[in-house]
Every structure is written in structure tokens, then in C-alpha cells.
Amino acid sequence: MAPPLHRMSFDTRKTLILRVRNPDDADGWRDFYGLYEPLIKRFFQSRGLQEADADDIVQNVLQRVAKAAPYFEYDPAKGKFRSWLFTIARNELNRHFGKVMRRPASTSQPEVISNLVSADEAELRKSWETEYRQHLFQWACKRVRPETSDQAWKAFWGTAVDEKSATDVAAELDTTVGAIYIAKSRVIDKLRECIETVSGEWDLLDS
């Protein structure tokens, strides 16, 4: 079920992050795994890791998150959740690389993992940031789209994603430019609120 799209309090927006602090919240952990496991796996696979290697690292990352979650204090002023998750993923990649080097006869790809470990930190963080934003955007779109009229969604998609002018989209939809801006703004608000329910972050749709 998609999260509610009404205006939510600050604490409610961080519901999923706060829920995984409780190891007994099976539903919370299922939702967390369902959202973040594909992102982390795709991030490693897109850089050349075989599926088996990516699966191993992802499971280690999620186990680390599970151990750290009870002590995780969400404070945007001290750092973003996505940065915290990236750091854990990066550390687990380094650990995996160490294991590969100690088991040269394994089926892993030491040269690929070595390239990842030695990759420029700024570049790797930038790639993570991009994929994180895209993943949560696509996830939110799947939940907001059924709650949005065709007209409003086309207004949003045409201007925000396809980057058409409001004038052109208004002509296509036989409406006013003002109506296009209003529809776009409302859809973005819904997407932002949807994302905030799982990430607690405000800026994923900015820029």
C-alpha cells in the first residue's frame, strides 16, 4: 500500500527510518529491504560486479544497517541518511575486497573490485547520489501516479521530466499555463511527501 499523501508531521516523514530502529518491526524491515536492496545491488552491478558478488556485499550492507539502526539518530544537520548508507556500502566493499584477496581461487572478480575500491571518492559519491535520487523518484512515481489525474500527471511529466515549456504543454492539454504550473506543483509536493516517508530527506527532488 502506498504511504498517505496528506500533509505529514516532521516525525511522520521519518517513519520508516525510525521504525527500523526496532528489530522486532518485521513490516518496517521488509519495507526497508524492498526499497533499498535493489538500489544498493544495482549500484554495485552497474560498476562491473557479478550478481553473486553484488548479492554478498548487499547482504553484508543490510546486516550492518540492522546492527547500527537501533543507535541511528536521524539529524539532517549532521548528515543525510543517503550519505550514511553510502558509507556503510563503501566500507563493506572494502571488506569484501580484502576477503577476495585472501581467497585468490574464488570466483570473484578481484580486478573489478579493486577498481571500485580505488575509485575516486568524489566520483563514487556523485554516482551514488544520482542513482539514489533516481531510484527513490521512480519508486515514488509508481505510488503517486495512481492517485493523480491524467491531466495533472501529463502536466508534471511534460514540464518536469520532458522539459517542455509550460506553454507547449498547456497547448497539448488544452488548458492554461497557470493550470499547468499548479498541477506540476501539486504532483511534486505529493512525490516529495511520499519520498520523505521513507528517507526523511527533503531535497531529493531539488535541482
Side-chain angles (χ1 to χ4, degrees):
M1 180 181 296
L5 300 177
H6 54 75
R7 178 61 61 182
M8 292 167 283
S9 69
F10 185 72
D11 284 343
T12 305
R13 278 194 296 268
K14 303 192 296 292
T15 295
L16 186 57
I17 294 176
L18 292 180
R19 285 175 61 195
V20 296
R21 293 177 62 181
N22 178 7
D24 296 325
D25 189 341
D27 290 339
W29 275 107
R30 184 196 63 233
D31 292 343
F32 186 91
Y33 273 57
L35 176 60
Y36 289 106
E37 189 271 347
L39 165 67
I40 302 169
K41 181 176 180 177
R42 187 171 65 246
F43 179 70
F44 288 128
Q45 281 192 291
S46 68
R47 277 143 192 83
L49 286 182
Q50 292 180 346
E51 184 172 6
D53 292 318
D55 282 338
D56 287 343
I57 302 175
V58 168
Q59 292 308 309
N60 290 337
V61 169
L62 294 175
Q63 288 174 12
R64 290 284 177 179
V65 170
K67 291 180 180 179
Y71 312 101
F72 179 70
E73 295 291 341
Y74 185 79
D75 185 352
K78 296 181 180 179
K80 301 181 186 301
F81 172 74
R82 60 185 181 269
S83 297
W84 181 74
L85 188 59
F86 170 81
T87 298
I88 292 178
R90 183 71 152 128
N91 289 342
E92 285 308 313
L93 178 65
N94 291 338
R95 289 190 180 92
H96 187 81
F97 175 62
K99 292 178 181 179
V100 169
M101 292 299 96
R102 290 193 294 272
R103 293 184 285 106
S106 71
T107 59
S108 298
Q109 300 169 281
E111 71 285 353
V112 173
I113 298 176
S114 178
N115 289 336
L116 270 171
V117 170
S118 62
D120 178 72
E121 184 75 10
E123 186 279 330
L124 205 59
R125 282 186 178 274
K126 183 178 180 180
S127 296
W128 168 262
E129 176 85 11
T130 298
E131 294 195 26
Y132 188 96
R133 286 174 180 267
Q134 291 177 346
H135 180 73
L136 263 70
F137 173 72
Q138 293 168 359
W139 175 87
C141 282
K142 291 179 181 179
R143 283 150 182 79
V144 171
R145 178 63 185 91
E147 305 292 332
T148 307
S149 69
D150 287 342
Q151 184 89 342
W153 189 259
K154 289 177 181 178
F156 157 73
W157 199 267
T159 53
V161 180
D162 293 337
E163 298 184 333
K164 297 179 182 179
S165 70
T167 301
D168 288 344
V169 176
E172 293 175 6
L173 299 179
D174 191 25
T175 189
T176 65
V177 170
I180 295 298
Y181 282 124
I182 291 173
K184 175 185 176 181
S185 178
R186 288 176 176 171
V187 172
I188 289 176
D189 283 346
K190 289 182 177 181
L191 290 170
R192 181 173 285 114
E193 290 180 353
C194 186
I195 289 172
E196 286 169 356
T197 63
V198 293
S199 72
E201 297 176 329
W202 297 69
D203 62 337
L204 290 175
L205 293 181
D206 295 342
S207 72

